[in-house]
Every structure is written in structure tokens, then in C-alpha cells.
Amino acid sequence: MLVAGLLQRSGVEVALLERRPALSPGSRAIGIHAPALAALEPSGITDELLAHALRVSRGEARSEGRLLGTVRFDRLSVRFPFVATLPQSVTERVLAGSAPPIRRAAEVTAVRPEGRRMRVWIKGGDQLVARVVLVAAGVSARRLVYRRIRVREYPDRYLMADLPAPGGPVAVVNLDRVGVLESFPLPDGFRRFVAWDDAAGDAAPEARANRMRDALERRGQHDAAGSLISASAFRVRRAVAPALVHGALVALGDTAHEVSPIGGQGMNLGLLDAATLAPLVADWVHTGVRPDAELRRWERDRLASARTAALLASLNTGLGRPLGPAGDAARRALLRVGLGTPAEAVFARAYAMGFDRDA
Ligand SMILES: Cc1cc2nc3c(=O)[nH]c(=O)nc-3n(C[C@H](O)[C@H](O)[C@H](O)COP(=O)(O)OP(=O)(O)OC[C@H]3O[C@@H](n4cnc5c(N)ncnc54)[C@H](O)[C@@H]3O)c2cc1C
């Protein structure tokens, strides 16, 4: 939606195809970081997102209720020194507001070059011809672009729920012996809770809800535990494609790279892919000449940023695993030292995507 909207603003005719018949009510991505907010500012989208968002100024690492250290986003020297949180459905609504009309229930089944154009096949038999095709269609659409990408499956499983809970605009990461419980503030008095879950646990919805309730009660989140009805489950994977540009076919977002959501950078990577690609594609369409050097630079920077995000997400995922007494003591010592010294600023920068090439 973002890249389609930016292209349309630049006078490019765009067809935006979406497999789903309607906006999905479910929520995955909630955190938007400083580089994405800065990249969307010229289009006015940042102001609209911020009108609905909560500004998270700091994060705390805790263990068994005790504070290990604090990460200060409000001390970063960036234009937006906070993490903006809002439900994914609201982000999608804002992006849809500046995108061309979405042609829904239009599942692309194949994209092939045909002379100097690309032909796009849509389920049901319809076809389109375009000069450039951008595939920003998540993991399941990878087959439209790539024969095969190496995907690493993590052993970890998580439970997730958005619940009413007190706590103010501070993110809390509880790193206990039983594994991580993350608690991120959302607008309107809600918080997003994500708990490490035992892969061998019963997958029945009620059993999952009970385990989530236990994880919340253990950290003193009694209100949230009391209001919990169900918890969704997710697993995590890591994949970074070797290339993004294939002639007139370009992949971006999760189609090209998938990082563990522990750390919350996947959507931000996609937004930055889109914001930085749009001017190059507009130039390409207007002049009829593919800006090869700029596209190569774009591809190199976006892949490097995805690899950095994937590495950080991997470290976060590892840090949140259950540990025995010795490992847990070492983790606490590491975090106390890391967050109590000038290295804290590096943590804050890493969490806020300050190492992205387009930050
Ligand atoms: C639990 C969880 C929490 C997360 N939290 C965060 C967070 O806080 N911050 C963050 O940055 N990231 C987060 N992420 C990651 C984030 O959700 C993804 O990186 C992001 O949604 C990827 O966006 P995308 O547009 O590339 O793909 P998607 O969000 O998967 O969207 C792809 C769209 O393309 C459509 N589509 C698919 N195939 C076709 C086809 N063949 N034809 C037409 N349309 C098609 C789909 O229906 C979908 O609407 C989280 C992920 C999870 C699982």
C-alpha cells in the first residue's frame, strides 16, 4: 500500500492487487521505529500515524520483578525519539487512505516477462500487463519471485494477546528463568503481551489461554490475566533473499526478508524498502530507463539492513529463552552491565533501528 501510494503521488499509474477480500482485523505489527517515521514524514503519513499512536519513550529489562536496566529511546538524537505503537489495523487504514483503490480478492498466481513488459496472472483467469511489477505480498508470495530461499526455523513458540492493562508508555521485557514475557504499551490503556511458550504444550485454544494466563499472573499482571479470553500463537523464522531486483520484477517486505518478530522490525524494514524504492521506480517509469546503478545501491542497502535486523532479532530471540540457574544469572549480569554503561545507547539505537542503512 505504501509503495503504491507513493508511486501514485509521483504520477505513476498503479494497479494494487490484494488476495484478501477485506482488511484483516488481526494484529501483528504494532511498533513503528524512528527511521520509518522519518521516511514517511514527507508524505504526511507520519502525522496521521502519530495521531493514533502511543509514544514509547523507554524500555525496561526486568528479571523476577527486579529492574535490570533501562533503554532510553528519548535520548536518541533522531527526529522521532520514541517507538510509536498502534494496532496494525489502524496502520493499514492510514496507509490505505493514501494508496490507490485496492483491487481485492485478486490473488496473483504468476508473473512473467513478456518482451519489454511483465504479464501478471490473477486467480480466475484475469491478466494484467505492466512495465514494472513489485511483489510486496508477504511470505506466501515468495514463490512468485524466487525458486527457493534458505529459511531458518527457530525452535521457539510464543503466545500473544492485546489486553487492557495499566503501566504507562514504557515497554517492559521480563527475562525470567521460564522465558520472556514482553509487555508493550498500546493506545487506549491496552498492552501487547508476548510470552515464550513451550513447543510441547497442548495446542488446544483453552490450554494456550491457560498458559498465557499463568505467564501474566507470574509477573503480577492480574488485570490482564483476568480479562484474557484467548491467546494467539506464533512461531518465528528467518530468511533474507540473495537479491531483490530481477529485471522488471522487484521483491520487498516479507516476500524478500523475514525476521523474528521478537524486537519488532519486520514491518519497519518493509516500510523502508517501500519508501526508498518508490522514487527509483517513478524515475524508471517516467524515463523508460531502468536506473540500474541506483537500484543496485538500493538492493545492497536494503539487504544489508535486513541482515542486521535478522541478526538483532536472532539475539533477542535467544536472550528470551528459558535458562537454568547459572545461565539465568549470567543473563542478568550481562544485562545489568550492558544497560548500566554507555553501551545502553547502543542497545537503544539497535532496538530503534538506528543501524538500518536508511536510518
Ligand atoms: C506476532 C507478530 C508481531 C509482529 N510485530 C511487529 C512489530 O511490532 N513491528 C514490526 O516492524 N514488525 C512486526 N512483525 C512483522 C510484520 O508483521 C511483518 O514483517 C509485516 O507484516 C510484513 O509486511 P508485508 O507487507 O511485507 O507482508 P504482509 O503483512 O504479509 O502482507 C502481504 C499482503 O499481500 C497479500 N498477498 C499475499 N499473497 C498474495 C498474492 N499472491 N496476490 C495478492 N495478494 C497477496 C496478503 O493477503 C497480505 O495482505 C510482527 C509479526 C508477527 C507474526
Side-chain angles (χ1 to χ4, degrees), residues 32 37 63 73 77 113 150 162 280 351:
I32 307 185
L37 293 170
S63 177
F73 304 121
S77 357
R150 223 179 106 225
D162 292 351
L280 309 188
Y351 272 95

Side-chain angles (χ1 to χ4, degrees), residues 57-59 70-76 81 344-345 347-349:
S57 53
R58 64 193 163 94
T70 304
V71 174
R72 300 289 300 259
F73 304 121
D74 54 354
R75 287 194 189 147
L76 291 168
E344 178 274 322
F347 272 88
R349 189 170 160 204

Side-chain angles (χ1 to χ4, degrees), residues 1 17-20 27-33 88 92 104 106-109 136-141 143-144 160 184 192 194 232 234-236 252-271 353:
M1 283 192 281
L17 308 176
E18 165 57 51
R19 175 175 69 175
R20 288 193 188 123
S27 182
R28 291 185 292 166
I30 56 163
I32 307 185
H33 297 290
Q88 182 171 333
E92 289 186 14
R104 290 196 170 274
E107 179 175 348
V108 174
T109 53
V139 172
S140 65
R143 65 189 167 74
L144 296 175
M160 183 177 95
F184 295 108
R192 155 76 52 96
V194 174
S232 55
F234 66 92
R235 49 206 297 180
V236 295
L252 57 157
D254 272 24
T255 298
H257 42 68
E258 193 180 355
V259 304
S260 162
I262 304 304
Q265 301 195 344
M267 175 181 67
N268 286 266
L269 280 176
L271 294 175
M353 289 187 87

Side-chain angles (χ1 to χ4, degrees), residues 117-158:
R117 306 267 155 167
M118 302 295 289
R119 184 169 290 274
V120 176
W121 278 266
I122 300 167
K123 198 170 174 181
D126 208 357
Q127 297 178 20
L128 290 179
V129 173
R131 191 174 294 170
V132 183
V133 174
L134 310 180
V135 180
V139 172
S140 65
R142 224 167 250 162
R143 65 189 167 74
L144 296 175
V145 186
Y146 303 101
R147 271 208 199 98
R148 205 188 160 102
I149 289 188
R150 223 179 106 225
V151 178
R152 183 181 156 197
E153 293 266 357
Y154 293 81
D156 308 86
R157 303 284 184 278
Y158 297 90

Side-chain angles (χ1 to χ4, degrees), residues 295-348:
L295 280 172
R296 266 199 304 277
R297 205 171 312 123
W298 173 80
E299 180 178 62
R300 188 196 59 210
D301 287 350
R302 296 317 305 150
L303 286 176
S305 300
R307 282 192 290 266
T308 304
L311 175 67
L312 290 170
S314 244
L315 294 174
N316 282 332
T317 303
L319 205 60
R321 290 190 177 129
L323 287 174
D328 184 47
R331 173 168 61 192
R332 271 185 277 133
L334 177 80
L335 284 165
R336 271 210 188 91
V337 172
L339 298 178
T341 65
E344 178 274 322
V346 179
F347 272 88

